[in-house]
Every structure is written in C-alpha cells, then in structure tokens.
Amino acid sequence: MKITERLNAAYSALTTSSSTALVLHKQAPPLELKHSEARRVAMMHRVGVEQWAPTEYRNLVRVVRTNPIVRRAVQLISDAVASIEPVIRRGERSEGGDIDAIAKQFSKPNPVQDRASFAKETAGYLALSGNTFIEHAAGMAGYHEFYALRPELMTITPGEDGWTQRYSYRPASGRRKDWNVNIARGKSDILHLKDFSPDDDLWGHGALEAVQLPLSIYDNAQMLSLSMFKNGAMPSGAMVYNPSVASGQPQPTLTDKQYEDLKKAIDERFSGPKNAGRPMLLDGGLEWQQFSMSFVDMQADLIRNAAARDIALGFGIPPMLLGIPGDNTYSNYQEANRAFYRQTVLSLAQTIYGGIGRWWAVMLSMPDLEFHVDPDQLWALAEEVAIREQRIEGSLMRTPNEKRKLLKLTALPPEEGDVMLVSGGLVPLSQVTAPPALDPTGDYGAPPPGPGARKVDKSADGDKDGRLNEGDNPAAA
C-alpha cells in the first residue's frame, strides 16, 4: 500500500471515529492498559484544567526581536539542525519504494515549506521554549500536511491518568482549535516534543527561561552604553546656581520660569550625541560640577560581555561562535564548531527527527520505521570521522569484515573478510604461521641465481653434492 493510501485510510478512520485519534490497529484489551500511578497522583489537582506555557517564556519571547545574542544563537541552532538530513530506515533497509515515498513526503511537509525550513522553525521553537508542537492536517487531493505551531499559544489539558488528553491552540484572533489525544493507542494529530524539565510534567524547560537574569543584565548594560554614547562618553554632573552676594544678604534662588528655561537650554544645546564636547558658557553665578564615573559606568562593556557569555552558555553555543570577546576556552574556531555540533546540534536534531519518526510509525502502521541522524554525514565532524576511520583501518586486532561493520560498509565474502591480517604484507595469518614447504633440492632458503650466473653441472665433473674434485678444471666447467 502506498504512503498516501495509508494516510488516506488513517484519515478516513479519523473522520468516522468519535475520537480524533488515528485508529490504525486494534486497541489493546482494557486489562492490558498500564498507567503510572505516580503520574496520576501528581496530576490529580490539574485534571481537566488547561495548562499554559510557562509565564517566563511568554513574557520573554519578544526579546528574540531585540536581543542580538539570542537572535544569533537561535539562528545558529536552527540553521545547523536544518542542514542535517535524517536517515529513514525500516529495519535494515534505507531505500526502497515505501522509504522513498516517505522521504518525498517529508521533503515537502506543507505547501509553503520544504524540509529545511520546516526543521528550522521546529528547532527554533524547541531551543527557545523547550517545547515544539507539530500539527498533522489532511490536505487537498489526498495530500497530508504538517505544520509547526507556536508554543506560547498552545495549552495542554491533562486527563485522569496523568497524561495529556487534549491540546488546544488559541491564537490572537480569539478562535480556538482542540485536538483530543488517545494516549492508550498513542494516537494524536499533535506531536509534542519537549526538553527535560525538572519541575514540570507537561512542559519542557527552554533556554530562554534559564537566561532570564543574564538577559536583564545585558539589556541594562546596553542602555547604559547608549546613554553614555549620547553624552559623548562624559560623566554626568550638576548645574549649581551660586551667585556672589554681599555678606549678610540672603542667597537668591531661581524662579520656576528661570529653572525651566535653563533645563530646556541644557537639553537642546548640551545633551545628546550631536552636542558631545560642545563647550558650555556660564554666567550669572552658574557653576558646573562634574560627577566621578562609577564602577558600573567604567565596566559597562565587560559586564555586557559577561552577560552575553552566560546567554550563549544557556543555549549551548561556544561564545566564540557568537563573536563575544574575552573567551579563550577553545584553541580555535574549528574546535568550537565541533563542540557545538557534538554537544548541542546532534541531540536536538535527534530529538526532533526521532520523535517525528516514531509519530509517523504509528500513523502508517510501520513499527520498524525510524528517523535518525548519522554523525558521519556531518561536514562539521568530518575531521573526527576521518581520524576514527584511520584508527579502525590501522587496527590489527580486527578482521576486514569487523572493520567494515564499524565503518557501516557491506561485508566481504567470508573467505576474504573473516580472516585475520597482519602488517607483514597484509597476508592471511595462516600463511605466516604455517611450516615452510620441503624443497627436494635441499637448497632451503637459497637465493635464486642472478642473471649471468655460472651454471654448475653436478652430473659431469662434480660429486653428487655438486662440489668440484681435485684436478677438475673450473674454466672447463
């Protein structure tokens, strides 16, 4: 059965069932259903109550537009995940009619996105919030489409067994869309992928919540630098009205109108970047008293860079890749890039593609279907792969087939691939350890005669052993 036919059958079962869950195989008997009692007790007070995304994420998501470090971090992660193409397998097969059809469907998940842009959006949501939601929708003419949804607009309603029983999407338009979940069958039109959270059973924990304080420090340091720039990098001060008066006379003060006129003149003529360094002419008892710069004023750039490094750490990106100065943890850019792919990108990509593979396996009734990431295909890890291949190839304790298996290559015939080779010309070990064959001439190990060598006739002038007797003429021989 073709992939589109399987999806159409699944959608037909969906429309004829009272539940929105896809029905592709028989439900297990009720006595075989298993539930976590701990999870049921933990969710008892939230049964039937919609749970929104964490407040911190909903309040902080706007900083993606204004914070350059967060913007670049999300761009790096999402682009790296989008550049990885998953390997689709069914058992031991990675190609064939059904696999090719699945790959074609995944290459165009919806009419406006290809695989890379879809993966980029999905990875961006997962990196920021620790949650990403993918919707399955039946398209026109039998096509099926998949969309990534914004996590801050989604709510989760837990059921009596502690697992999700309904997803709800509430955009700004005020409308609402609900998807019911049949957790016993593992069927849903919504796939929820989440990162680990130590204090929430329904929502994942994202990087944006973890870097909330560094974001505040970074923004304040930016505002401080901006205010100093507008003031020509000069410390602030105070305008003092101190006219000279005769002894015993009261100290005069400025009227309200004089005070307002003086403020307006200072703002227009001596404030802002265009007036930086402009000399001030004072008269009438006015004096300028300059304040000294505080420690925070002098260390604004260092504080901002320290906060930027904490933000990069929260997203799992080496600061060097974000252009943050003052971090020499990695000896060069290549090592930082390899660490980024090995520690952040690979795990995120496997979470996304592995989850999609398990979801599709249920929808298509293909239990052996899986999506996974092959690190050997990543250009960023090419040097590590080359070193590993050289180490495997140079090993003397493995047969050729054992080496080929580690390198993910097809096996050789047993007579060629299941023998042990040694470095002495790489010949089979059986030939090296076998006793030498008997030579009927008795010349064991004698080197062959070179060109032009004299041939001795053992039957004419010599004895049986081939040696010359006394009186024999060597020249005649």
Side-chain angles (χ1 to χ4, degrees):
M1 182 182 294
K2 296 181 178 180
I3 301 301
T4 54
E5 295 177 356
R6 289 177 179 268
L7 290 173
N8 288 333
Y11 183 68
S12 300
L14 170 65
T15 55
T16 57
S17 175
S18 58
S19 172
T20 59
L22 296 178
V23 181
L24 292 177
H25 56 78
K26 294 182 179 180
Q27 183 179 5
L31 293 179
E32 295 185 7
L33 296 180
K34 301 177 178 63
H35 301 287
S36 171
E37 290 298 324
R39 188 179 183 92
R40 183 181 64 82
V41 173
M43 290 292 174
M44 188 175 297
H45 65 291
R46 293 196 278 181
V47 172
V49 180
E50 292 183 338
Q51 305 296 318
W52 286 90
T55 307
E56 292 80 2
Y57 172 74
R58 286 184 283 147
N59 294 336
L60 292 172
V61 69
R62 65 181 182 275
V63 305
V64 181
R65 294 180 175 271
T66 59
N67 191 289
I69 303 299
V70 175
R71 179 69 179 87
R72 183 57 181 156
V74 176
Q75 189 78 14
L76 275 178
I77 294 175
S78 57
D79 285 345
V81 173
S83 66
I84 300 176
E85 187 169 357
V87 178
I88 303 175
R89 302 184 64 89
R90 287 198 65 186
E92 298 297 329
R93 293 190 302 110
S94 59
E95 57 184 10
D98 52 352
I99 296 179
D100 295 340
I102 294 174
K104 182 178 180 181
Q105 170 71 45
F106 192 57
S107 66
K108 188 72 173 177
N110 58 67
V112 296
Q113 287 181 315
D114 58 5
R115 181 203 59 80
S117 58
F118 174 77
K120 180 176 181 179
E121 184 179 7
T122 305
Y125 289 143
L126 186 58
L128 283 170
S129 70
N131 302 272
T132 190
F133 297 88
I134 302 176
E135 175 193 6
H136 164 242
M140 300 177 60
Y143 291 97
H144 293 257
E145 302 167 2
F146 300 88
Y147 299 90
L149 304 180
R150 292 169 54 184
E152 75 273 14
L153 302 180
M154 185 72 73
T155 62
I156 302 177
T157 304
E160 295 181 355
D161 54 3
W163 298 98
T164 302
Q165 72 175 11
R166 183 173 64 252
Y167 294 105
S168 301
Y169 195 69
R170 295 185 175 185
S173 62
R175 296 186 178 182
R176 170 174 174 159
K177 172 62 179 177
D178 296 332
W179 296 272
N180 293 331
V181 179
N182 190 332
I183 192 64
R185 301 178 183 177
K187 305 295 183 60
S188 174
D189 276 342
I190 293 292
L191 173 63
H192 179 199
L193 301 175
K194 64 177 182 177
D195 204 349
F196 167 73
S197 177
D199 58 355
D200 198 327
D201 296 324
L202 298 177
W203 292 91
H205 185 257
L208 207 56
E209 302 172 55
V211 299
Q212 182 177 2
L213 184 57
L215 282 174
S216 179
I217 296 175
Y218 185 92
D219 292 341
N220 289 329
Q222 285 279 73
M223 294 301 298
L224 178 59
S225 299
L226 178 62
S227 63
M228 294 183 63
F229 174 77
K230 289 182 177 180
N231 199 33
M234 295 292 293
S236 183
M239 187 73 71
V240 179
Y241 178 60
N242 187 22
S244 59
V245 295
S247 178
Q249 297 295 325
Q251 187 75 15
T253 59
L254 296 176
T255 64
D256 292 342
K257 185 177 184 307
Q258 290 174 329
Y259 178 76
E260 293 298 331
D261 292 342
L262 183 60
K263 280 183 57 179
K264 184 177 181 181
I266 293 175
D267 291 339
E268 292 179 355
R269 299 181 184 179
F270 305 104
S271 298
K274 64 179 181 179
N275 296 321
R278 185 174 183 178
M280 184 180 296
L281 182 61
L282 302 175
D283 60 356
L286 294 176
E287 297 179 0
W288 174 259
Q289 293 184 359
Q290 183 172 296
F291 298 155
S292 61
M293 295 186 68
S294 66
F295 174 79
V296 176
D297 294 335
M298 293 186 292
Q299 304 290 330
D301 288 343
L302 295 179
I303 295 174
R304 182 185 59 187
N305 291 336
R309 284 193 291 272
D310 289 341
I311 296 173
L313 178 64
F315 280 93
I317 301 179
M320 182 180 295
L321 301 184
L322 297 177
I324 301 172
D327 194 301
N328 298 321
T329 303
Y330 297 94
S331 59
N332 53 49
Y333 188 88
Q334 290 182 345
E335 289 188 14
N337 198 52
R338 285 197 296 269
F340 169 59
Y341 268 82
R342 179 66 67 182
Q343 299 175 8
T344 301
V345 176
L346 273 178
S347 60
L348 195 66
Q350 187 57 51
T351 298
I352 294 174
Y353 292 134
I356 293 177
R358 292 187 296 272
W359 189 37
W360 283 32
V362 175
M363 284 197 299
L364 301 176
S365 294
M366 297 179 179
D368 55 348
L369 177 66
E370 61 178 8
F371 291 24
H372 69 93
V373 177
D374 186 3
D376 295 346
Q377 298 181 1
L378 302 183
W379 63 268
L381 304 178
E383 185 174 350
E384 289 186 6
V385 173
I387 294 175
R388 183 173 64 88
E389 291 179 352
Q390 292 177 2
R391 188 170 65 250
I392 294 174
E393 183 64 27
S395 174
L396 300 179
M397 304 302 295
R398 292 187 176 95
T399 64
N401 276 342
E402 291 175 345
K403 296 179 181 180
R404 295 179 68 87
K405 183 178 180 181
L406 293 175
L407 296 175
K408 301 177 182 179
L409 300 175
T410 56
L412 297 174
E415 60 273 10
E416 300 179 13
D418 292 340
V419 295
M420 187 70 70
L421 302 179
V422 296
S423 59
L426 295 181
V427 297
L429 184 62
S430 57
Q431 294 184 10
V432 177
T433 57
L438 296 178
D439 188 352
T441 63
D443 294 337
Y444 297 110
R454 183 170 56 88
K455 183 177 181 181
V456 179
D457 188 358
K458 300 181 180 180
S459 61
D461 297 327
D463 290 339
K464 293 182 179 181
D465 57 357
R467 292 179 297 180
L468 294 176
N469 300 324
E470 296 183 2
D472 291 339
N473 187 3

